[in-house]
Amino acid sequence: MSHNSKKSLLGVMLLVFSFLTSFSQIPVNGFYPQKNSFTLASSYSYKSYDQFYRGTTLSEGNPAGLGEITSSIISLYGQYAITNWLSTTLTLPYISIESKEGVLDPVLQTTQTDGIQDLGVFIKAKVLEKEFDNSSRINLGLASGVTFPIGNYDGAGVLSIGNEATAINGSAIFQYNTPFHIFTEFQLGYSLRSSTNFDIPNAVVYNTKIGYYNKFFYLHAQLDIQNSFSGYDIGTPEFGNAGGAAILPETEVDFTDLSFVFYIPIYKNNIGISAGYGTTLDGRNYNKHSSFSFGLVYTNQ
């Protein structure tokens, strides 16, 4: 397996699990697949939480007394490399959310919701690559994309599968690779969000990761952060007067999530399996969750 194909395959893994561990982030990374290569992936993740940040205060239970909430996510994913420096990505999740206590959502009047959420279309370009005498390398890339609802879901309520918004996203990606197969990466992005039913705050989103890879396995640790610019705090009089659970998409959602990903190829470097774990370190109007993820990936690289 060549150095370039190994780098591209590892980039596929990064891309898939960037999407799994944080849906608000732009699902791109600092690796670039080879021209005409494509990747197809399916994955499953399970998330549960019985604590919630009401504003910045961590509270037991969830809004409206729903107790523990669990969600299952099945994600479909595709990537195609137009050139060695330009690629496009499609993402589509199916989500099921349930109140384990059997308490009705006060807006949706159900204990469980499910459906297709938002289609994501992204494009990424490498704008700079420099290799040094010691074989270390830096990459600089730019990415842009849009996500928009295609499922017939309601954005209001605690158990909604999405915020019913169209988001236009852009980011810059910096990656540094050492000759010892250790890499670090930083991504800074902006998400511009709009909805016909809600006034959803825009946000700065960024992440940083450190990882290691060889021909037998790949792993990384990643920190995802979102800072919204405005919105209500859950539990305040302003939130209640504006509609309470019916206007949850208009809250100021901030978070810091930590995740870990492990990948091994299982057949001729074309098929591989991945596993991941994620948890919330801090938040604002956000759930404090733990999640587990598993994925199956095919690539022709």
Side-chain angles (χ1 to χ4, degrees), residues 139-162:
N139 290 324
L140 178 64
L142 298 174
S144 181
V146 60
T147 60
F148 53 92
I150 64 169
N152 185 27
Y153 68 86
D154 191 336
V158 180
L159 298 180
S160 175
I161 64 172

Side-chain angles (χ1 to χ4, degrees), residues 13-217:
M13 300 308 107
L14 270 169
L15 200 68
V16 171
F17 276 88
S18 292
F19 178 64
L20 281 176
T21 53
S22 182
F23 285 99
S24 68
Q25 302 285 24
I26 303 169
V28 296
N29 59 83
F31 290 100
Y32 299 87
Q34 297 179 54
K35 180 180 179 180
N36 294 330
S37 64
F38 69 91
T39 297
L40 297 174
S42 62
S43 57
Y44 172 81
S45 62
Y46 177 84
K47 180 169 72 172
S48 65
Y49 53 96
D50 56 9
Q51 292 180 304
F52 199 93
Y53 290 95
R54 301 172 187 265
T56 57
T57 302
L58 183 62
S59 304
E60 296 296 326
N62 282 293
L66 266 68
E68 182 184 6
I69 294 175
T70 64
S71 62
S72 296
I73 305 164
I74 299 173
S75 301
L76 299 178
Y77 175 90
Q79 176 185 259
Y80 178 72
I82 303 168
T83 70
N84 287 340
W85 57 270
L86 183 68
S87 61
T88 184
T89 298
L90 299 178
T91 58
L92 184 63
Y94 176 90
I95 302 176
S96 177
I97 303 178
E98 180 181 7
S99 168
K100 301 302 289 185
E101 306 297 327
V103 179
L104 290 176
D105 185 297
V107 179
L108 302 175
Q109 290 299 299
T110 182
T111 62
Q112 189 268 340
T113 59
D114 61 83
I116 296 173
Q117 194 207 42
D118 302 339
L119 176 66
V121 182
F122 302 88
I123 191 165
K124 178 181 68 174
K126 179 167 59 177
V127 297
L128 175 67
E129 180 177 38
K130 181 174 178 60
E131 187 165 347
F132 299 95
D133 292 339
N134 64 355
S135 296
S136 63
R137 185 180 68 257
I138 61 171
N139 290 324
L140 178 64
L142 298 174
S144 181
V146 60
T147 60
F148 53 92
I150 64 169
N152 185 27
Y153 68 86
D154 191 336
V158 180
L159 298 180
S160 175
I161 64 172
N163 59 12
E164 203 178 332
T166 296
I168 300 173
N169 309 288
S171 70
I173 314 134
F174 174 84
Q175 186 189 82
Y176 175 71
N177 267 273
T178 74
F180 311 107
H181 305 299
I182 298 172
F183 73 92
T184 58
E185 186 176 305
F186 179 75
Q187 182 178 162
L188 175 63
Y190 187 82
S191 183
L192 180 66
R193 297 155 182 178
S194 63
S195 171
T196 57
N197 296 320
F198 305 103
D199 184 14
I200 300 176
N202 301 324
V204 171
V205 291
Y206 47 100
N207 66 56
T208 184
K209 61 172 70 81
I210 183 169
Y212 172 80
Y213 59 89
N214 59 37
K215 65 181 181 179
F216 301 110
F217 70 91

